[in-house]
Amino acid sequence: MPDLVLELNGQSWTLDPTRSYTLGRDPQADLVFTDARVSWRHATLRWGGEGWVLEDHGSTNGTWTHGQRVQQLHAGPGTVLNLGNAEDGPRLSFTAVGAAPGGVLPRQAPQPVAAVSPATPPSTAPPMPSAGPPAPGGFPGSGEPGPGGDAGEEGSGPRGATALHRFDIGRVTRIGRALENELVVPDLQVSRYHAEFLATPDGRFELRDLGSHNGTYVNGQPMDRNGRQLITPSDTIGIGHSTFRLVGDRLEEFVDTGEVSFSARHLTVQVNDGALTILDDVSFGVPEKSLVGVIGPSGSGKSTLLRALTGYRPATHGEVLYDQRNLYTHFAELRHRIGLVPQDDILHTALPVRQALRLAAELRFPGDVGKAERNARVEEVLAELKLDPHADKRINQLSGGQRKRVSVALELLTKPSLIFLDEPTSGLDPGMDRDVMQLLRRLADDGRTVLVVTHSVAELGLCDRVLVMAPGGGVAYFGPPDEALNFFGYDSWADVFSAFENYRDHDWMGRWRGSRHYRMYAADADADLARPAHLQPLRAAQQKAQSWGAQVWTLVRRYLAVIASDKGFMALTLALPIILGLVSTVIPAPHGLGYGPLERGRGNGDAGIILLILVIGMCFAGSANAVRELIKERVIYERERAVGLSRSAYLMSKVLVLGMVTIVQGVILALICFAPRELPEQGVLFVESPAVEMTIVITVLGITSMMIGLVISSVVRTSEMTMPLLVMICVVQLVFTGVLFQVAGKPGLEQVAWLMPSRWGLAGVGSTADLNTLMGHRQRGETDRLWDHEAAVWILDVGMLAVISVGCAFLVLRFLRRHEPEVMRD
């Protein structure tokens, strides 16, 4: 390994081939520049096996040698290059050992080893701190442009590989979490045996997925489970938090430990076919390990911005870059590296903290992660957030600040690099407000980028940057928080927000773009020659961490634990059928559901009323069980769906648990109603047990009504809307049973009645009881064919209830799509 000396600004160092060096304005770089023309992470210098290689990271103003811009350069004795400007940019030269004095460049550079000031004013807009390294998205062929660079431009490499792995020709290299693999990735997001590489004698490289749980991604898109694919040096492979690329006969690995840049470029959100703009050309970027606060008046687009930044609702135009990777097109892979804490709780507050986190870990980690491994990760997070003293308390017994910590703990389970929070201090007193913001500050310092949307301005000083949104969805300021008030020319944030309200027509965005602060902190994001064109987000075909059955089992156990912890709900659930059954016994009916001595042309009219009360009571009980279940968990579902929850598994868990509850209610209601009554002499299928036959109809009707309740819960926007809809639907079903007045044989009216579960439910029990005869319809020639005492009719009645249930399930699945990230809707 020939030694090489780097000369810069009158200083020189002998390079160490066993490590790589980063160059840029980042204070943590090995060579730190103050020249504004140098990007935050401008380039990397590393030993390439046969010589030293300098790789530009798609910097805004480029790396130059002999008047030509280069992306990759083999450096040797006599090499001279300039950063940021071809003529007077900071000049680096390389000489052989002995040609210049110097020591070895230190391995750690907490203080700048080179502070280079510009010789002349910058010729272009200075880059902002987000011009970070493109690794791993900046690997050659990733197709992701860096600021000012072209997509797929050769040589835009990473800041330095975490590890290098050599291939043996003809030998399989397995990748996974288990120690038996040739390439071990100690990441709980990775399966024990995740994937394998094969280097063939003819120089080709083949990648095979081994049925991994969270998937193997090539250029951001998931491979087929157990699929095969040829890999070229231009491809990037994503496995858990690691990204790989081929370099010769080696596999370079970059581990995402949280040190990633994040930027938004020209984000614009339009609605009503472009007639209304609610987010207007927002561009900004932040360096790694930073805390960013987003503030602004109501209606300034903060929530819209948050959804655009997380991929939940992609912007109409523009792009979001995660370490120079387009989040929208790589969402399937990158979603595991992004945490989102909504304003509402994303855990069931009736559960103890530890139990809630353990159940969440079951859903988020691969199915082959053992219970001990999951629980150990939960305990790590509890200790990190100082929640271990409260681990056995129910979440709803914690203070507001502690509950927010639990929501953050949920997101930290998978070790995300980016964490977004929406109004985490809403409703908290000033002391808790400070505690939460100090927590976020610590999270950023520990190696994460944290962006928080907030109305509170008391603790903005803890942030590295503050983004101020103006009315209309534009940026009014982005930069250090201690310079913001001076920028606006006011003494307090109250005055700033009043100015936004009083001068809504003022061009706040234009004022910002014409300012010095814009040139210092945000111009780099706008430095492109043209705005990014609208790119249709790719649908993120999901790889599910757990199998469908495992998800259902976990969700069922969690739901049962939630119900068991709510004593009031359990008591009400049991009391409801008892009360409804007792009400039905109040009706005077001397002959019950039997024939008795029928008066000519009249019959036992009380039987119809008894069955009507029974059916409508079951309709109400079944619907009431489910009418709030989806709306109250909407925020939880949105977040869990984004990290891999199966939509059908979620619905099935609700159907199973609520179905068991409804069946118990139906049996109780039928027992109380039938016990004191005379029953029909025989059934149509269970000839000797008409009570059993009618109980089956009642329970099936209850499940169908429960599905109606789930439809309501999936449609409404607030919990307050559920009860009026429940009452309305029950009243409508009362009308169309066919008991209050005849609907059979009336065109239009009869067809509408077919849509009502109560119509088929009453017909089922009416078929068993031979209601046409009991109510005297047969004597009068006014029979309802759905009440005939025949097995085929009974099966038709019950079968139609099943058909309505399936139709409702389909509607619920479709309505649930509205509450998912758009790129994941299938």
Side-chain angles (χ1 to χ4, degrees), residues 278-290:
I278 56 179
L279 198 65
D280 188 8
D281 195 19
V282 173
S283 296
F284 68 95
V286 294
E288 60 193 41
K289 298 191 294 186
S290 59

Side-chain angles (χ1 to χ4, degrees), residues 219 559 768 778 795:
N219 299 324
Y559 195 15
T768 298
R778 194 177 303 280
I795 293 174

Side-chain angles (χ1 to χ4, degrees), residues 480-784:
D482 54 357
E483 300 178 20
L485 290 177
N486 287 335
F487 171 82
F488 288 106
Y490 291 100
D491 295 328
S492 69
W493 284 107
D495 294 333
V496 174
F497 280 42
S498 295
F500 284 148
E501 179 65 27
N502 296 331
Y503 307 102
R504 300 187 68 87
D505 295 332
H506 180 71
D507 186 8
W508 296 102
M509 187 174 175
R511 180 176 181 269
W512 156 243
R513 289 183 179 273
S515 68
R516 174 181 62 88
H517 288 78
Y518 169 77
R519 294 191 296 272
M520 292 178 62
Y521 302 114
D524 195 40
D526 289 338
D528 308 309
L529 296 179
R531 295 187 183 185
H534 174 60
L535 184 64
Q536 182 66 31
L538 299 178
R539 296 299 173 195
Q542 283 208 77
Q543 292 281 1
K544 300 176 179 63
Q546 297 278 346
S547 66
W548 187 87
Q551 288 192 1
V552 172
W553 174 236
T554 300
L555 292 170
V556 166
R557 288 189 293 113
R558 183 177 72 180
Y559 195 15
L560 289 174
V562 171
I563 291 177
S565 65
D566 191 344
K567 307 302 181 185
F569 174 80
M570 293 182 63
L572 182 60
T573 299
L574 292 176
L576 182 60
I578 294 174
I579 294 173
L580 292 175
L582 292 175
V583 168
S584 69
T585 62
V586 176
I587 302 172
H591 303 298
L593 299 176
Y595 291 97
L598 300 176
E599 297 181 10
R600 186 170 184 174
R602 181 178 178 186
N604 183 7
D606 296 332
I609 300 300
I610 294 173
L611 294 181
L612 176 65
I613 297 299
L614 179 64
V615 165
I616 296 302
M618 195 67 247
C619 287
F620 178 79
S623 297
N625 288 337
V627 75
R628 292 182 182 269
E629 287 306 308
L630 300 184
I631 181 63
K632 75 180 183 182
E633 293 185 357
R634 182 159 297 173
V635 176
I636 298 175
Y637 171 76
E638 288 179 359
R639 185 63 195 128
E640 291 182 340
R641 175 65 174 157
V643 296
L645 177 66
S646 166
R647 185 191 310 151
S648 58
Y650 177 74
L651 176 59
M652 180 56 68
S653 69
K654 295 295 183 186
V655 172
L656 290 176
V657 176
L658 292 175
M660 289 188 293
V661 172
T662 303
I663 289 173
V664 171
Q665 289 180 322
V667 172
I668 293 174
L669 179 61
L671 285 175
I672 296 175
C673 183
F674 296 152
R677 304 287 188 186
E678 181 182 347
L679 297 179
E681 296 179 356
Q682 61 182 19
V684 292
L685 286 183
F686 303 95
V687 178
E688 302 298 329
S689 304
V692 172
E693 194 171 280
M694 288 191 290
T695 300
I696 292 174
V697 177
I698 290 301
T699 56
V700 174
L701 171 63
I703 292 175
T704 306
S705 300
M706 176 197 75
M707 297 305 300
I708 295 286
L710 289 177
V711 172
I712 295 174
S713 192
S714 65
V715 170
V716 297
R717 296 184 180 276
T718 63
S719 296
E720 289 74 17
M721 298 173 62
T722 57
M723 296 313 296
L725 286 175
L726 174 62
V727 172
M728 180 189 71
I729 287 178
C730 288
V731 170
V732 171
Q733 292 203 80
L734 171 66
V735 171
F736 284 95
T737 55
V739 172
L740 298 181
F741 63 94
Q742 188 173 3
V743 297
K746 295 185 178 180
L749 194 63
E750 183 176 19
Q751 284 69 41
V752 172
W754 290 346
L755 301 176
M756 306 296 166
S758 61
R759 167 67 168 151
W760 299 103
L762 194 137
V765 293
S767 175
T768 298
D770 192 8
L771 203 57
N772 279 320
T773 302
L774 278 176
M775 296 187 66
H777 291 178
R778 194 177 303 280
Q779 293 87 334
R780 296 192 299 269
E782 301 174 349
T783 61
D784 188 329

